[in-house]
Amino acid sequence: TQRNLSPLYFAVLAIMLFCNLQASAQCTTCDYTISTTYNSNLNASNGSTICITASGNLKGNLNGNNLTICNQGTISSNNFNANNYTLHNYGSLELSGLNVNNGSTINNYGHMDIDGNLNVNNGGVINNHFDLLVQGNLHVNGTDRKAHV
């Protein structure tokens, strides 16, 4: 017997391929690449791009300013001390608490689990496209903040 594949099948396949290419496109140029479990503190240089591969896990503290962070693995840092950052999360973000301050943006396409409070302060942006769990309180403060959940 011969099977005919419907146009809907091809449309779904095309969308899946496009989404996968879009996810990979964010991680092309990296100043720091984490591909295993990284327990040490990461003191990133100003303006750096940090890439966590699918097998990577950032467990140490993250410190830095004006960062681009592309996560396809896991970030389970005790202290996420980045300022004025853009985080593209396609993996898992597991933090005890998080402040998204002025100049910071999180684009979440993966799993985001905040055990404590999530604070979106004046000028902070969260664009949630998949899974966001806040086990504490969600605070959206100030006049110029956005939380698209």
Side-chain angles (χ1 to χ4, degrees):
T1 63
Q2 184 180 12
R3 286 176 158 180
N4 291 327
L5 298 176
S6 72
L8 179 61
Y9 173 81
F10 288 110
V12 170
L13 183 61
I15 290 169
M16 289 173 50
L17 288 172
F18 173 74
C19 290
N20 189 34
L21 290 173
Q22 181 183 16
S24 299
Q26 301 296 332
C27 293
T28 55
T29 304
C30 307
D31 298 304
Y32 302 89
T33 300
I34 297 171
S35 57
T36 61
T37 298
Y38 191 83
N39 291 309
S40 300
N41 293 340
L42 177 57
N43 299 309
S45 302
N46 187 29
S48 297
T49 299
I50 301 166
C51 300
I52 297 113
T53 67
S55 60
N57 184 351
L58 175 60
K59 288 188 168 189
N61 297 338
L62 174 63
N63 303 298
N65 296 306
N66 303 313
L67 303 176
T68 299
I69 305 156
C70 183
N71 179 40
Q72 294 180 327
T74 302
I75 297 175
S76 56
S77 175
N78 290 328
N79 289 307
F80 192 84
N81 298 319
N83 294 303
N84 197 26
Y85 61 88
T86 299
L87 169 61
H88 304 285
N89 182 46
Y90 300 97
S92 183
L93 182 64
E94 303 165 358
L95 301 172
S96 59
L98 180 62
N99 292 314
V100 183
N101 296 319
N102 187 28
S104 297
T105 300
I106 296 177
N107 297 308
N108 182 43
Y109 300 94
H111 174 72
M112 202 168 148
D113 185 358
I114 309 300
D115 287 336
N117 295 335
L118 173 58
N119 300 305
V120 181
N121 297 314
N122 194 35
V125 177
I126 295 179
N127 296 306
N128 185 51
H129 301 279
F130 192 65
D131 186 19
L132 172 60
L133 174 63
V134 180
Q135 297 183 34
N137 295 310
L138 170 62
H139 300 280
V140 181
N141 306 307
T143 57
D144 185 25
R145 75 278 180 218
K146 297 177 179 96
H148 303 280
V149 293

